[in-house]
Amino acid sequence: MHNFLSGVVPPVVTPMTAQGVIDGPSLCRLVDHIITGGAHGLFALGSSSETVFLTREQRKEVLSIIMDHNAGRVPVIAGVIDTTFPKVRELVEDAVALGVDGLVATAPFYVRTHRKEIEEHFRRIHELAPHIPLYAYNIPICVNGVVLDVDMLIELAGEGVLAGVKDSGGVDSYTRSLVEARNDAGITAFSVLTGSETTVDMAYLAGVDGVVPGLGNVDPAAYAKLHELLVAKNFALAAELQTRINHLFRIVFVGDGTRMGGSSAGLGAFKAALKHLGIIDSAAMAPTHQPLNAEEIAAIAQLVDKYGTPR
Amino acid sequence: MHNFLSGVVPPVVTPMTAQGVIDGPSLCRLVDHIITGGAHGLFALGSSSETVFLTREQRKEVLSIIMDHNAGRVPVIAGVIDTTFPKVRELVEDAVALGVDGLVATAPFYVRTHRKEIEEHFRRIHELAPHIPLYAYNIPICVNGVVLDVDMLIELAGEGVLAGVKDSGGVDSYTRSLVEARNDAGITAFSVLTGSETTVDMAYLAGVDGVVPGLGNVDPAAYAKLHELLVAKNFALAAELQTRINHLFRIVFVGDGTRMGGSSAGLGAFKAALKHLGIIDSAAMAPTHQPLNAEEIAAIAQLVDKYGTPR
Amino acid sequence: MHNFLSGVVPPVVTPMTAQGVIDGPSLCRLVDHIITGGAHGLFALGSSSETVFLTREQRKEVLSIIMDHNAGRVPVIAGVIDTTFPKVRELVEDAVALGVDGLVATAPFYVRTHRKEIEEHFRRIHELAPHIPLYAYNIPICVNGVVLDVDMLIELAGEGVLAGVKDSGGVDSYTRSLVEARNDAGITAFSVLTGSETTVDMAYLAGVDGVVPGLGNVDPAAYAKLHELLVAKNFALAAELQTRINHLFRIVFVGDGTRMGGSSAGLGAFKAALKHLGIIDSAAMAPTHQPLNAEEIAAIAQLVDKYGTPR
Amino acid sequence: MHNFLSGVVPPVVTPMTAQGVIDGPSLCRLVDHIITGGAHGLFALGSSSETVFLTREQRKEVLSIIMDHNAGRVPVIAGVIDTTFPKVRELVEDAVALGVDGLVATAPFYVRTHRKEIEEHFRRIHELAPHIPLYAYNIPICVNGVVLDVDMLIELAGEGVLAGVKDSGGVDSYTRSLVEARNDAGITAFSVLTGSETTVDMAYLAGVDGVVPGLGNVDPAAYAKLHELLVAKNFALAAELQTRINHLFRIVFVGDGTRMGGSSAGLGAFKAALKHLGIIDSAAMAPTHQPLNAEEIAAIAQLVDKYGTPR
């Protein structure tokens, strides 16, 4: 049914209390907000979900809430993000038990790795759950700069090991080369999804199938509309909408870089915006994220009111 | 008793079967080999222990075996290495329950982080176990290039949050600046340990207190002798011994870089050497490490026989 | 007349003999080939021109030949690429004396530099020739990773110091943020040109004004056609043409990476293709570029015949 | 006579007026200061000489003044630092005409290069002046991160192409591996010189032959004394002196990093110190270096008075 993943698949952020407890009701409202906004799928336990800040139990809790509340409305793919295969294996077991529609795995990290090792990593994960689509997650900024090799990805696609790629590498010529290599190989069952919020129109022009936008938590309707325009090949209008979205995206640059890192500023902005919109109850992040201050939160609210899709 | 950590503290590798089961008897023999060789402490669950390849249960198992078998002979410090504070917290709980003599934590990784966030990371870990010495682990190559800020480390040392640093940054001028900043601040209870196998003599000359050498699994006696010469300020002889050790260290470059990454080649060499010496039963590594081939293993054995301390 | 630079502006490669002597007749034929193909301008003495392999006298010779032979047909912008301002100053004097229509300068390189120093660099170059448009060249891969700051560029654009940017940074979200910042600032006299051969359609969709494609030496007609489609907002057809062009671009990956670097493989491919097309007499490159072998040259010719615009 | 280069060989900074004119009398006083201080050689036109800020004519002027004023007292090696071989060739001709005792060349830069190309680069430079010792300059931070391959250097040493290496890579394990590879190959005519100001004692312990310290402009006597202690294998005393020198070295960190880059702060400090000592008339640097302010200059003077060798 959900065989080929395409469209808007936001990485669902994880609402939590100031004490770090998962906030289920807020998470349910967020899931509704995203689906009602027109998203085509949900990416649970992604980087924007603070996955690497959640214990194994918490990850299960979050995924369980999302699966239950989604109740089959859209496909749910789940991150199984950890340093190496033996640890990813545990996460795969948990996700499979909860009935996910797809798995998303990065290259091994922390360790110095190699193409052969990455390839075996994906093969072994696939063997654990051969009937569940597996997506490779290209995110060099998080895994010591490792870029997933295009030839390797296409080889694994051809063998049915991989069902797609989520590309958060930030280099659109890479994304395009992936699409071209897939097409040249005559492979159809392989989704290429961009992780870039600000170049979705460009990525679709190059042939990608969908987008995994963190900002899609805040304004899923804008991305759904963007997808619609792009599928209709209405590129000029899409570019105008993209520009409006990019002004909204500036919320992630509001946080003061002398006081916090990019994760605090970015996730903090998504959560502050969602709180401002009344969707989640608290903008708290897991430790040791640094909080935005009142002035920054006000500036974010202003950008949301100005550039967000009216509700 | 073990208040100030100094001397040779090898990161204990984790013997396992080809099926990935922890090999307790081999691990006990290895602990004996290291202690008998003259090491002054043990670093359990470090990078060379394949920590990030071990599940939480396996980490507990490994640490438990080491604590039991060591039986107080030397201090045991334990890595609590995971992506962020909430996950490190679990590992701290486990390590504290097993009675370790010290904890070793890196900066957060996978996430984009910041000095303020790293500082809070160490403060929170310290608060979990204020009576157990906490060592910061500087290992940029594993944590997206993040280098621990010298001023931050000294500030945390002055406040009693940190008891020392294990520096695997590979830049000796950094190591030295750390020693100098510590001395200028008049701080005495702060160990600086180098993680470099090949520049121990240089690091001691600059004033470090000890070394955490992966190669110390294979030849602890050589490092113990090196430490002895260095403490006696017999630098010229130490440099000669260092040169011999560095020839032994070439075992980590035997593995073919077109077939495997640096972790496979390095850990594979340590394990192959230990098997050759009859200390561990299998040189198997956790997946998805790639194995050395017979020719490479033979070359490693030859280097061990030629440059290792006769047993 | 040539006030606002837009369209296809190939960086003209420098034909030379095996002895490293500039081959004027070949260069004139190449200029004709590019202009006849429909290019809108010429970028002389760019990276693809082997500028940093040419002595000051040779740069003057090359620029003089191009200016003379072009004879005002299209605007000619000239690279003034050297490590620091005092050295760039000499090149500016030479270029101005030859009557160029624009100057193109990178950030300082070799030295560790800073935004303030880069800003002053552009200001001082502009003061040398205030009536000649100055273009900033963003090419981090050549200048120790330095990325030109968007806010700085827009500030300098607003003051009339810069007339545009050639962006070879390879990150399309950067290119787009530059376009958006320009538009938000209400600046019209500021050209944004992409240096990417393979994402021209995407860059135009994001609002750039032109492209500086090295491959435009080989197939200027394809890029001229691409520009035409893009200006007409015929994006879907443009993307198809872009895909064909990208297959031609594979000539730059033919050279064996174990025998040569990216510059040898890339420039070597452009020159081999131009020789195959009968435009230049020799594919020789300046030392210490490494030559392509016969097999590689044949593979390049085949790609040109298959994917190049028929002549 | 000067066959094997060893000892302290400071890279001579280039005094200039605020108008950027070379200040010959100041340069002569500086040469005297360095030689009187006990240096064993002079490195003209190195990175610290602002070489890449000097035109070809200015480089000749500087080198000519140094050669004349030195008058054979110590060997003078000269940087021939430019992007590629054709440009380096001009500099070699100039340096040879002025009678230098050695040449110092980096890997090609600005261009994407390759080991084969770097090797040919050194071979061709050597062929231009086969009777003048050629030193390879390892300085990755200036040349897009390129590290000179140890095996390549030793191969070129064995063939007589290279007479030594100046290593400013900042990684002492690299320096040591170079020394060990040289010794293992039985090569004697190959000097290894460290470019690190702050780890000279460590580098000598590892077997280097000398040091090229920028700070040696300011306090040549300290480095001469350090060399003396190290040659006598008096390592403990040397380390104490090194620590004192390192406190003096802090002058390079005085310049405010929000206002200037590392080159401005570092060279600015050397020149401010030399002016404070009455050796040069102006601390001006070539554009677009940013100047230190009065407060910073005062702080530098204070450090010089406190930690410099009394004169």
Side-chain angles (χ1 to χ4, degrees):
Chain A
M1 186 154 44
H2 300 312
N3 280 342
F4 187 79
L5 190 64
S6 63
V8 180
V9 188
V12 186
V13 305
T14 304
M16 57 183 69
T17 67
Q19 287 70 41
V21 177
I22 308 300
D23 174 359
S26 286
L27 180 51
C28 290
R29 287 196 300 273
L30 176 57
V31 165
D32 289 341
H33 170 66
I34 294 172
I35 295 177
T36 308
H40 307 86
L42 299 174
F43 176 23
L45 303 178
S47 307
S48 298
S49 314
E50 297 174 76
T51 292
V52 296
F53 292 84
L54 303 177
T55 63
R56 185 177 175 187
E57 287 311 309
Q58 285 181 312
R59 292 195 196 192
K60 280 197 276 191
E61 185 185 351
V62 165
L63 187 54
S64 174
I65 293 170
I66 292 175
M67 292 303 295
D68 285 354
H69 195 71
N70 173 60
R73 285 182 281 176
V74 295
V76 177
I77 58 174
V80 287
I81 297 175
D82 214 328
T83 47
T84 61
F85 176 72
K87 294 178 72 66
V88 169
R89 180 167 42 199
E90 292 189 331
L91 302 174
V92 170
E93 285 164 10
D94 296 345
V96 168
L98 289 166
V100 298
D101 300 293
L103 299 166
V104 186
T106 67
F109 53 93
Y110 188 87
V111 293
R112 287 173 295 160
T113 190
H114 185 275
R115 184 195 140 139
K116 291 275 184 207
E117 294 160 2
I118 298 167
E119 186 182 323
E120 187 179 327
H121 183 75
F122 288 122
R123 287 187 190 283
R124 282 179 176 252
I125 295 171
H126 173 67
E127 280 164 22
L128 293 176
H131 301 303
I132 299 180
L134 173 61
Y135 301 89
Y137 193 169
N138 185 51
I139 187 159
I141 203 175
C142 292
V143 297
N144 291 305
V146 170
V147 176
L148 297 177
D149 184 78
V150 170
D151 290 342
M152 177 194 75
L153 292 172
I154 297 305
E155 186 185 324
L156 292 173
E159 296 179 26
V161 171
L162 289 179
V165 170
K166 186 214 160 180
D167 177 26
S168 293
V171 177
D172 293 300
S173 62
Y174 172 90
T175 318
R176 181 171 223 138
S177 68
L178 198 51
V179 170
E180 290 177 358
R182 175 194 68 180
N183 295 348
D184 287 354
I187 296 169
T188 52
F190 187 74
S191 300
V192 179
L193 309 173
T194 179
S196 165
E197 275 98 346
T198 61
T199 60
V200 183
D201 53 346
M202 296 154 81
Y204 271 71
L205 182 59
V208 306
D209 306 294
V211 57
V212 184
L215 188 64
N217 283 278
V218 177
D219 196 349
Y223 282 100
K225 177 70 185 168
L226 187 58
H227 171 78
E228 197 183 292
L229 289 169
L230 288 165
V231 166
K233 303 223 173 283
N234 203 333
F235 291 105
L237 270 182
E240 281 180 31
L241 175 53
Q242 181 74 69
T243 295
R244 196 257 283 166
I245 289 172
N246 292 358
H247 282 78
L248 176 60
F249 188 66
R250 290 178 190 177
I251 60 174
V252 309
F253 303 119
V254 168
D256 177 0
T258 68
R259 260 179 34 238
M260 65 186 70
S263 180
S264 295
L267 286 179
F270 293 162
K271 288 191 161 180
L274 288 167
K275 191 178 173 209
H276 173 66
L277 293 170
I279 293 158
I280 68 175
D281 287 337
S282 162
M285 291 176 278
T288 56
H289 278 118
Q290 300 296 300
L292 297 162
N293 64 26
E295 195 182 349
E296 291 164 341
I297 291 169
I300 287 166
Q302 210 166 14
L303 285 166
V304 170
D305 292 342
K306 185 164 180 190
Y307 295 112
T309 300
R311 301 177 73 222
Chain B
M1 185 155 48
H2 300 313
N3 280 342
F4 187 80
L5 190 64
S6 64
V8 179
V9 187
V12 186
V13 306
T14 304
M16 55 183 71
T17 69
Q19 287 69 42
V21 177
I22 307 301
D23 175 357
S26 286
L27 180 51
C28 291
R29 287 196 300 273
L30 176 56
V31 164
D32 289 341
H33 171 65
I34 294 172
I35 296 176
T36 308
H40 308 87
L42 299 174
F43 176 24
L45 302 178
S47 306
S48 298
S49 314
E50 296 175 77
T51 292
V52 296
F53 292 84
L54 302 177
T55 64
R56 185 178 173 186
E57 287 311 309
Q58 285 180 311
R59 292 195 197 192
K60 280 197 276 191
E61 185 186 349
V62 165
L63 186 54
S64 173
I65 294 170
I66 291 176
M67 292 303 297
D68 285 354
H69 195 72
N70 173 61
R73 285 182 281 175
V74 295
V76 177
I77 58 175
V80 287
I81 297 176
D82 213 326
T83 47
T84 61
F85 175 72
K87 294 178 71 65
V88 169
R89 179 167 43 199
E90 293 189 330
L91 301 174
V92 170
E93 285 164 10
D94 295 346
V96 168
L98 289 166
V100 298
D101 301 292
L103 299 166
V104 186
T106 67
F109 54 94
Y110 188 86
V111 294
R112 287 172 295 158
T113 191
H114 186 277
R115 184 195 140 142
K116 292 273 184 208
E117 294 160 4
I118 299 168
E119 185 182 322
E120 186 178 328
H121 183 74
F122 288 121
R123 286 187 191 283
R124 282 179 177 253
I125 296 171
H126 173 66
E127 281 165 21
L128 294 176
H131 301 303
I132 299 180
L134 173 61
Y135 301 89
Y137 192 169
N138 186 51
I139 187 158
I141 204 174
C142 292
V143 297
N144 291 304
V146 170
V147 176
L148 298 178
D149 184 80
V150 170
D151 291 342
M152 179 194 73
L153 292 172
I154 297 305
E155 186 184 324
L156 292 173
E159 297 180 24
V161 171
L162 290 178
V165 169
K166 186 213 161 180
D167 177 26
S168 293
V171 177
D172 293 300
S173 61
Y174 172 90
T175 319
R176 182 172 222 138
S177 67
L178 198 50
V179 171
E180 290 177 358
R182 175 194 67 181
N183 295 348
D184 287 353
I187 296 169
T188 51
F190 188 74
S191 299
V192 179
L193 309 172
T194 179
S196 165
E197 275 98 346
T198 60
T199 61
V200 183
D201 53 346
M202 296 154 82
Y204 271 71
L205 182 59
V208 307
D209 306 294
V211 57
V212 184
L215 187 63
N217 283 278
V218 177
D219 195 349
Y223 282 99
K225 177 70 185 165
L226 187 59
H227 171 78
E228 196 182 294
L229 289 169
L230 288 165
V231 166
K233 304 225 173 280
N234 204 333
F235 291 106
L237 270 183
E240 278 179 33
L241 175 53
Q242 181 73 68
T243 295
R244 197 257 284 166
I245 290 173
N246 293 357
H247 282 78
L248 176 60
F249 188 66
R250 290 179 190 174
I251 61 174
V252 309
F253 304 117
V254 168
D256 177 0
T258 69
R259 261 179 35 239
M260 65 186 69
S263 179
S264 295
L267 286 179
F270 293 160
K271 288 190 162 181
L274 287 168
K275 190 179 174 208
H276 173 67
L277 292 172
I279 294 158
I280 68 176
D281 287 338
S282 162
M285 290 175 278
T288 56
H289 278 120
Q290 301 296 299
L292 297 162
N293 64 26
E295 194 182 350
E296 290 163 342
I297 291 169
I300 287 166
Q302 210 166 15
L303 284 166
V304 170
D305 292 342
K306 185 163 180 191
Y307 295 112
T309 300
R311 301 177 73 223
Chain C
M1 186 153 49
H2 299 314
N3 280 342
F4 188 79
L5 190 65
S6 64
V8 180
V9 187
V12 186
V13 306
T14 303
M16 55 184 71
T17 68
Q19 288 70 41
V21 176
I22 307 302
D23 175 357
S26 286
L27 180 51
C28 290
R29 288 196 300 274
L30 176 57
V31 165
D32 289 341
H33 171 65
I34 294 172
I35 296 177
T36 308
H40 306 88
L42 299 173
F43 177 22
L45 303 179
S47 306
S48 298
S49 314
E50 296 174 79
T51 292
V52 296
F53 292 83
L54 302 177
T55 64
R56 185 177 174 187
E57 287 310 311
Q58 285 180 311
R59 291 195 197 192
K60 280 197 276 190
E61 184 185 350
V62 165
L63 186 54
S64 173
I65 293 170
I66 291 176
M67 293 303 296
D68 285 355
H69 195 70
N70 173 60
R73 285 182 282 176
V74 294
V76 177
I77 59 174
V80 287
I81 297 174
D82 214 326
T83 46
T84 61
F85 176 72
K87 294 179 71 68
V88 170
R89 180 166 43 200
E90 292 188 332
L91 301 174
V92 170
E93 285 163 11
D94 295 346
V96 168
L98 289 166
V100 297
D101 300 293
L103 299 167
V104 186
T106 67
F109 54 94
Y110 189 85
V111 292
R112 287 173 295 159
T113 189
H114 186 276
R115 186 196 139 140
K116 292 274 183 207
E117 294 160 2
I118 298 168
E119 186 183 323
E120 186 179 328
H121 184 73
F122 288 122
R123 287 187 191 283
R124 281 180 177 253
I125 295 172
H126 173 66
E127 281 164 21
L128 293 176
H131 301 304
I132 300 180
L134 173 61
Y135 301 90
Y137 192 169
N138 186 50
I139 186 157
I141 204 176
C142 292
V143 297
N144 291 304
V146 170
V147 176
L148 297 178
D149 184 79
V150 170
D151 291 342
M152 178 194 75
L153 292 172
I154 297 304
E155 185 185 324
L156 292 174
E159 297 179 25
V161 171
L162 290 179
V165 170
K166 185 213 161 179
D167 177 26
S168 292
V171 177
D172 293 301
S173 61
Y174 172 91
T175 319
R176 181 171 222 137
S177 67
L178 198 51
V179 170
E180 289 177 358
R182 174 193 68 181
N183 295 349
D184 287 354
I187 296 169
T188 52
F190 187 74
S191 300
V192 179
L193 310 172
T194 179
S196 164
E197 274 98 346
T198 61
T199 60
V200 183
D201 53 346
M202 296 155 82
Y204 271 71
L205 182 59
V208 306
D209 306 293
V211 57
V212 184
L215 188 63
N217 283 278
V218 177
D219 196 349
Y223 282 100
K225 178 68 185 167
L226 187 59
H227 172 77
E228 197 182 293
L229 289 169
L230 288 165
V231 165
K233 305 225 171 280
N234 204 333
F235 291 106
L237 271 183
E240 281 180 32
L241 175 54
Q242 181 74 69
T243 295
R244 197 256 284 165
I245 289 172
N246 292 358
H247 282 77
L248 176 60
F249 188 66
R250 290 178 191 176
I251 60 174
V252 309
F253 303 119
V254 169
D256 177 359
T258 68
R259 261 178 33 238
M260 65 186 69
S263 179
S264 294
L267 286 180
F270 292 161
K271 287 191 162 181
L274 287 167
K275 189 177 175 210
H276 173 66
L277 293 172
I279 293 158
I280 67 174
D281 287 338
S282 162
M285 289 175 280
T288 56
H289 278 119
Q290 300 296 301
L292 297 162
N293 64 25
E295 196 182 349
E296 291 164 340
I297 290 168
I300 287 166
Q302 211 166 13
L303 285 166
V304 169
D305 292 342
K306 186 164 179 191
Y307 295 113
T309 301
R311 301 176 74 221
Chain D
M1 186 157 43
H2 301 313
N3 280 343
F4 187 79
L5 190 63
S6 64
V8 180
V9 187
V12 185
V13 306
T14 304
M16 56 184 70
T17 68
Q19 287 70 41
V21 177
I22 307 302
D23 175 359
S26 286
L27 180 51
C28 290
R29 286 196 300 273
L30 176 57
V31 165
D32 289 341
H33 171 65
I34 294 172
I35 296 176
T36 308
H40 308 87
L42 300 173
F43 176 22
L45 303 178
S47 305
S48 298
S49 315
E50 296 175 79
T51 292
V52 297
F53 292 84
L54 302 177
T55 63
R56 185 177 175 187
E57 286 311 311
Q58 285 181 312
R59 292 195 196 191
K60 280 198 275 190
E61 185 185 348
V62 165
L63 187 54
S64 173
I65 293 170
I66 292 175
M67 293 302 295
D68 285 355
H69 195 71
N70 174 61
R73 285 181 282 175
V74 294
V76 177
I77 59 175
V80 286
I81 297 174
D82 214 327
T83 48
T84 61
F85 175 72
K87 294 178 72 66
V88 169
R89 178 166 43 198
E90 292 189 331
L91 301 175
V92 170
E93 286 163 11
D94 295 346
V96 168
L98 288 165
V100 298
D101 300 292
L103 299 166
V104 186
T106 68
F109 54 94
Y110 187 87
V111 293
R112 287 173 295 160
T113 191
H114 186 277
R115 184 194 141 141
K116 291 275 183 207
E117 294 160 3
I118 298 167
E119 185 182 323
E120 186 179 327
H121 183 74
F122 288 122
R123 287 188 190 282
R124 281 179 177 252
I125 295 171
H126 173 66
E127 281 165 22
L128 293 176
H131 301 305
I132 299 180
L134 173 61
Y135 300 90
Y137 192 169
N138 185 52
I139 186 158
I141 203 175
C142 292
V143 298
N144 292 303
V146 170
V147 176
L148 298 177
D149 185 80
V150 169
D151 291 341
M152 178 193 76
L153 292 172
I154 297 304
E155 186 185 323
L156 292 173
E159 297 179 26
V161 171
L162 290 179
V165 170
K166 186 214 160 178
D167 176 26
S168 293
V171 178
D172 293 300
S173 62
Y174 172 91
T175 319
R176 181 172 221 137
S177 67
L178 197 52
V179 170
E180 290 177 358
R182 175 194 67 182
N183 295 348
D184 286 353
I187 295 170
T188 51
F190 187 74
S191 300
V192 179
L193 309 173
T194 179
S196 165
E197 275 99 345
T198 61
T199 60
V200 183
D201 53 347
M202 297 155 81
Y204 271 71
L205 182 60
V208 307
D209 306 293
V211 57
V212 184
L215 188 64
N217 283 277
V218 177
D219 197 349
Y223 282 100
K225 177 69 185 167
L226 187 59
H227 171 78
E228 196 182 292
L229 289 169
L230 289 164
V231 166
K233 304 225 174 281
N234 204 334
F235 290 106
L237 270 183
E240 280 179 33
L241 175 54
Q242 181 73 68
T243 295
R244 197 256 285 167
I245 289 173
N246 292 359
H247 282 78
L248 176 60
F249 188 66
R250 290 178 190 176
I251 60 174
V252 309
F253 302 118
V254 169
D256 177 0
T258 68
R259 260 176 36 236
M260 66 185 70
S263 179
S264 295
L267 286 180
F270 293 162
K271 287 191 162 181
L274 287 167
K275 190 177 173 210
H276 173 67
L277 293 172
I279 293 158
I280 68 175
D281 288 338
S282 163
M285 291 176 278
T288 56
H289 278 119
Q290 301 295 300
L292 297 162
N293 63 27
E295 196 182 349
E296 290 163 343
I297 290 170
I300 287 166
Q302 210 166 15
L303 285 165
V304 170
D305 291 342
K306 185 163 179 191
Y307 294 113
T309 300
R311 301 177 73 223

